[in-house]
Amino acid sequence: MATKKSNKSLWVMLALIAAIIAVILLLPSCGNRNAKKGAETDAESTTLVKAGDTAPDFTVEMVDGSSVTLGDLKGKVVLLNFWATWCPPCRQELTRVQTDIIDRFAGKEFVFLPVSRGEKREAVEAFREKTGYAFPMGLDPARTVYDRYASNYIPRNFVIDRKGKVVLATVGYDEHEFEELIRTIEKTLEN
């Protein structure tokens, strides 16, 4: 009797582990760009706008009800960031944004434009309330903006120069990628 009970527990545990692995593998495109060589190639192939391309124009509704049109930001350097509240690398990256990006480039011709991919206003507002983030955030619940730039994977960053050209496009979050973003913004602001 004890053996049957222990076998049943083992099968339940194995099924649970398999379910967890399946959920992780099927999470909708949130990941670290250093996961696998094949994943890096896949991430690159899902990037629709690359360095040297003109950034597709769009208008995005912000959490506060206002709207921002990318074309209206010409003359400024823009860091367009696609993220989601449920994405661990996105949340890691956002923890650095205020001090390392927004505060660092305050007073310069620079705009940080984070756009939440595929989420409703309520989810983004709850996330802002929980984290205390006060910087503006765009909403893209139907992925209309995101789908102009990429077909998969977040976080994604696009550094756009004063003329509307993409200078750098990155996928994922890690220290090296984030430092490269900062260096590219600095260099682009100098030009």
Side-chain angles (χ1 to χ4, degrees), residues 126-165:
F127 178 75
R128 286 170 59 88
E129 174 91 18
K130 180 180 176 185
T131 59
Y133 294 141
F135 50 83
M137 291 180 170
L139 304 168
D140 188 21
R143 294 176 48 150
T144 55
V145 177
Y146 178 81
D147 288 347
R148 293 179 185 182
Y149 285 80
S151 61
N152 208 356
Y153 302 112
I154 52 174
R156 281 193 178 264
N157 288 291
F158 296 87
V159 177
I160 303 166
D161 72 12
R162 289 175 161 83
K163 296 176 182 171
K165 293 273 187 200

Coordinates of all heavy atoms in Angstrom, one line a residue, residues 126-165:
A126 N -1.5 48.7 -12.2 CA -1.2 47.9 -11.0 C 0.3 47.7 -10.8 O 0.8 47.8 -9.7 CB -2.0 46.6 -11.1
F127 N 1.0 47.5 -11.9 CA 2.4 47.3 -11.9 C 3.1 48.6 -11.4 O 4.0 48.6 -10.6 CB 2.9 46.9 -13.3 CG 4.4 46.8 -13.3 CD1 5.1 45.6 -12.8 CD2 5.2 47.7 -14.0 CE1 6.4 45.5 -12.9 CE2 6.6 47.6 -14.1 CZ 7.2 46.5 -13.5
R128 N 2.7 49.7 -12.0 CA 3.2 51.0 -11.6 C 3.0 51.3 -10.1 O 3.8 51.8 -9.4 CB 2.6 52.2 -12.4 CG 3.1 52.2 -13.8 CD 2.3 53.2 -14.7 NE 2.3 54.5 -14.2 CZ 3.2 55.4 -14.5 NH1 4.2 55.1 -15.3 NH2 3.1 56.6 -14.0
E129 N 1.8 51.0 -9.6 CA 1.4 51.2 -8.2 C 2.3 50.4 -7.3 O 2.9 50.8 -6.3 CB -0.1 50.8 -8.0 CG -0.5 50.9 -6.6 CD -1.1 52.2 -6.2 OE1 -1.4 53.0 -7.1 OE2 -1.2 52.5 -5.0
K130 N 2.5 49.1 -7.7 CA 3.3 48.2 -6.9 C 4.8 48.6 -6.9 O 5.4 48.5 -5.8 CB 3.2 46.8 -7.5 CG 3.9 45.7 -6.7 CD 3.7 44.3 -7.4 CE 4.6 43.3 -6.7 NZ 4.5 42.0 -7.3
T131 N 5.3 49.0 -8.0 CA 6.7 49.3 -8.1 C 7.1 50.8 -7.8 O 8.2 51.0 -7.5 CB 7.3 49.0 -9.5 OG1 6.5 49.8 -10.5 CG2 7.1 47.6 -9.9
G132 N 6.1 51.6 -7.8 CA 6.4 53.0 -7.6 C 6.9 53.8 -8.7 O 7.4 54.9 -8.6
Y133 N 7.0 53.2 -9.9 CA 7.5 53.9 -11.1 C 6.6 55.0 -11.5 O 5.4 54.9 -11.5 CB 7.6 52.9 -12.3 CG 8.6 51.8 -12.1 CD1 8.4 50.6 -12.6 CD2 9.8 52.1 -11.5 CE1 9.3 49.5 -12.5 CE2 10.8 51.1 -11.4 CZ 10.5 49.8 -11.8 OH 11.4 48.8 -11.7
A134 N 7.2 56.2 -11.7 CA 6.4 57.4 -12.0 C 6.7 57.8 -13.5 O 6.0 58.7 -14.0 CB 6.8 58.5 -11.1
F135 N 7.7 57.3 -14.1 CA 7.9 57.7 -15.5 C 6.8 57.3 -16.4 O 6.1 56.3 -16.2 CB 9.3 57.3 -16.0 CG 9.6 55.8 -15.8 CD1 9.2 54.9 -16.7 CD2 10.4 55.4 -14.7 CE1 9.5 53.5 -16.6 CE2 10.7 54.0 -14.6 CZ 10.2 53.1 -15.5
P136 N 6.6 58.1 -17.5 CA 5.5 57.7 -18.4 C 5.7 56.4 -19.1 O 6.8 55.9 -19.3 CB 5.6 58.8 -19.5 CG 6.4 59.9 -18.9 CD 7.3 59.3 -17.9
M137 N 4.6 55.7 -19.3 CA 4.6 54.4 -20.0 C 3.5 54.3 -21.0 O 2.3 54.7 -20.8 CB 4.3 53.3 -18.9 CG 5.5 53.1 -17.9 SD 5.1 51.7 -16.8 CE 6.7 51.6 -16.0
G138 N 3.8 53.8 -22.2 CA 2.8 53.6 -23.2 C 2.1 52.3 -23.2 O 2.6 51.3 -22.6
L139 N 1.0 52.2 -23.8 CA 0.2 51.0 -23.8 C 0.0 50.5 -25.2 O -0.3 51.3 -26.1 CB -1.2 51.3 -23.2 CG -1.3 51.9 -21.8 CD1 -2.6 52.4 -21.5 CD2 -0.8 50.9 -20.8
D140 N 0.2 49.2 -25.4 CA 0.1 48.6 -26.8 C -0.6 47.3 -26.6 O -0.1 46.2 -26.9 CB 1.5 48.4 -27.4 CG 1.4 48.0 -28.8 OD1 0.4 48.2 -29.5 OD2 2.4 47.4 -29.3
P141 N -1.9 47.3 -26.1 CA -2.6 46.1 -25.8 C -2.8 45.2 -27.0 O -2.8 43.9 -26.9 CB -3.9 46.5 -25.2 CG -4.1 47.9 -25.7 CD -2.7 48.5 -25.9
A142 N -3.0 45.7 -28.2 CA -3.2 44.9 -29.4 C -1.9 44.6 -30.2 O -1.9 44.0 -31.2 CB -4.2 45.6 -30.3
R143 N -0.7 45.1 -29.6 CA 0.6 44.9 -30.2 C 0.7 45.6 -31.6 O 1.5 45.1 -32.4 CB 0.9 43.4 -30.3 CG 1.1 42.7 -29.0 CD 1.3 41.3 -29.1 NE 2.3 40.9 -30.1 CZ 3.1 39.9 -30.0 NH1 3.0 39.0 -29.0 NH2 4.0 39.6 -30.9
T144 N 0.0 46.6 -31.9 CA 0.1 47.2 -33.2 C 1.4 48.0 -33.3 O 1.9 48.0 -34.4 CB -1.1 48.2 -33.4 OG1 -1.2 49.1 -32.3 CG2 -2.4 47.5 -33.5
V145 N 1.9 48.6 -32.3 CA 3.2 49.2 -32.3 C 4.3 48.2 -32.4 O 5.2 48.2 -33.2 CB 3.4 50.2 -31.1 CG1 4.8 50.9 -31.2 CG2 2.3 51.3 -31.1
Y146 N 4.3 47.3 -31.4 CA 5.3 46.2 -31.3 C 5.5 45.5 -32.7 O 6.6 45.3 -33.1 CB 5.0 45.3 -30.2 CG 6.0 44.1 -30.1 CD1 7.2 44.3 -29.4 CD2 5.7 42.9 -30.7 CE1 8.1 43.3 -29.3 CE2 6.7 41.9 -30.6 CZ 7.9 42.1 -29.9 OH 8.8 41.1 -29.8
D147 N 4.4 45.1 -33.3 CA 4.4 44.3 -34.5 C 5.0 45.1 -35.7 O 5.4 44.4 -36.7 CB 3.0 43.8 -34.9 CG 2.5 42.7 -33.9 OD1 3.3 42.2 -33.1 OD2 1.3 42.4 -34.0
R148 N 5.2 46.4 -35.6 CA 6.0 47.1 -36.6 C 7.5 46.9 -36.4 O 8.2 47.1 -37.4 CB 5.6 48.6 -36.6 CG 4.2 48.9 -36.9 CD 3.9 50.3 -36.8 NE 2.5 50.5 -37.1 CZ 1.9 51.7 -37.1 NH1 2.7 52.8 -36.9 NH2 0.6 51.8 -37.3
Y149 N 7.9 46.6 -35.2 CA 9.3 46.5 -34.9 C 9.8 45.1 -34.8 O 11.0 44.9 -35.0 CB 9.6 47.3 -33.6 CG 9.5 48.8 -33.8 CD1 8.3 49.5 -33.9 CD2 10.7 49.5 -34.0 CE1 8.3 50.8 -34.1 CE2 10.7 50.9 -34.2 CZ 9.5 51.5 -34.3 OH 9.5 52.9 -34.5
A150 N 9.0 44.2 -34.3 CA 9.5 42.8 -34.1 C 8.3 41.9 -34.1 O 7.1 42.3 -34.0 CB 10.2 42.8 -32.7
S151 N 8.6 40.6 -34.2 CA 7.6 39.6 -34.2 C 7.6 38.7 -32.9 O 6.7 37.9 -32.7 CB 7.6 38.7 -35.4 OG 8.9 38.0 -35.5
N152 N 8.7 38.8 -32.1 CA 8.8 38.0 -30.9 C 9.9 38.6 -30.0 O 10.7 39.3 -30.5 CB 9.1 36.6 -31.3 CG 8.6 35.5 -30.3 OD1 8.1 35.9 -29.3 ND2 8.8 34.3 -30.6
Y153 N 9.8 38.2 -28.8 CA 10.8 38.5 -27.7 C 10.8 39.9 -27.2 O 10.7 40.8 -27.9 CB 12.3 38.1 -28.2 CG 12.5 36.7 -28.7 CD1 12.7 36.5 -30.0 CD2 12.4 35.7 -27.8 CE1 12.8 35.1 -30.4 CE2 12.5 34.4 -28.2 CZ 12.7 34.1 -29.5 OH 12.9 32.8 -29.9
I154 N 10.9 39.9 -25.9 CA 11.0 41.1 -25.1 C 11.9 40.8 -23.9 O 12.1 39.7 -23.6 CB 9.7 41.7 -24.6 CG1 8.9 40.6 -23.8 CG2 8.9 42.4 -25.7 CD1 7.6 41.2 -23.2
P155 N 12.6 41.8 -23.3 CA 12.5 43.2 -23.7 C 13.3 43.5 -25.0 O 14.2 42.7 -25.3 CB 13.2 43.9 -22.5 CG 14.1 42.8 -21.9 CD 13.4 41.5 -22.1
R156 N 12.9 44.5 -25.6 CA 13.5 45.0 -26.8 C 13.8 46.5 -26.7 O 12.9 47.2 -26.2 CB 12.6 44.8 -28.0 CG 12.7 43.4 -28.5 CD 12.0 43.4 -29.9 NE 12.1 42.0 -30.4 CZ 13.0 41.5 -31.2 NH1 14.0 42.3 -31.6 NH2 13.0 40.3 -31.6
N157 N 14.9 47.0 -27.2 CA 15.2 48.4 -27.1 C 15.7 48.8 -28.5 O 16.4 48.1 -29.2 CB 16.4 48.6 -26.1 CG 15.9 48.5 -24.7 OD1 15.1 49.3 -24.2 ND2 16.3 47.5 -24.0
F158 N 15.2 50.0 -28.9 CA 15.6 50.6 -30.1 C 16.1 52.1 -29.8 O 15.3 52.9 -29.3 CB 14.5 50.7 -31.1 CG 14.0 49.3 -31.5 CD1 13.0 48.7 -30.8 CD2 14.5 48.7 -32.7 CE1 12.6 47.4 -31.2 CE2 14.1 47.5 -33.1 CZ 13.1 46.8 -32.3
V159 N 17.4 52.4 -30.1 CA 17.9 53.7 -29.9 C 17.6 54.4 -31.3 O 18.1 53.9 -32.3 CB 19.3 53.8 -29.5 CG1 19.8 55.2 -29.4 CG2 19.6 53.1 -28.2
I160 N 16.9 55.5 -31.2 CA 16.5 56.2 -32.5 C 17.1 57.6 -32.4 O 17.0 58.3 -31.4 CB 15.0 56.3 -32.6 CG1 14.4 54.9 -32.5 CG2 14.6 57.0 -33.8 CD1 12.9 54.8 -32.3
D161 N 17.9 58.0 -33.5 CA 18.5 59.3 -33.5 C 17.6 60.4 -33.8 O 16.4 60.2 -34.0 CB 19.7 59.2 -34.4 CG 19.4 59.2 -35.9 OD1 18.2 59.4 -36.3 OD2 20.3 59.0 -36.7
R162 N 18.1 61.6 -33.8 CA 17.3 62.8 -34.0 C 16.6 62.9 -35.3 O 15.6 63.6 -35.5 CB 18.3 64.1 -33.9 CG 18.8 64.3 -32.5 CD 19.8 65.5 -32.6 NE 20.0 66.1 -31.3 CZ 20.8 65.7 -30.4 NH1 21.5 64.6 -30.6 NH2 21.0 66.3 -29.2
K163 N 17.1 62.2 -36.3 CA 16.5 62.2 -37.7 C 15.5 61.0 -37.8 O 14.9 60.9 -38.9 CB 17.6 62.1 -38.7 CG 18.4 63.3 -38.7 CD 19.5 63.1 -39.8 CE 20.5 64.4 -39.7 NZ 21.7 64.2 -40.5
G164 N 15.3 60.2 -36.8 CA 14.4 59.1 -36.9 C 15.0 57.8 -37.4 O 14.2 56.8 -37.7
K165 N 16.3 57.7 -37.4 CA 16.9 56.4 -37.8 C 17.3 55.6 -36.6 O 17.7 56.1 -35.6 CB 18.3 56.7 -38.6 CG 18.1 57.4 -39.9 CD 17.9 56.4 -41.0 CE 17.8 57.1 -42.3 NZ 17.2 56.3 -43.3

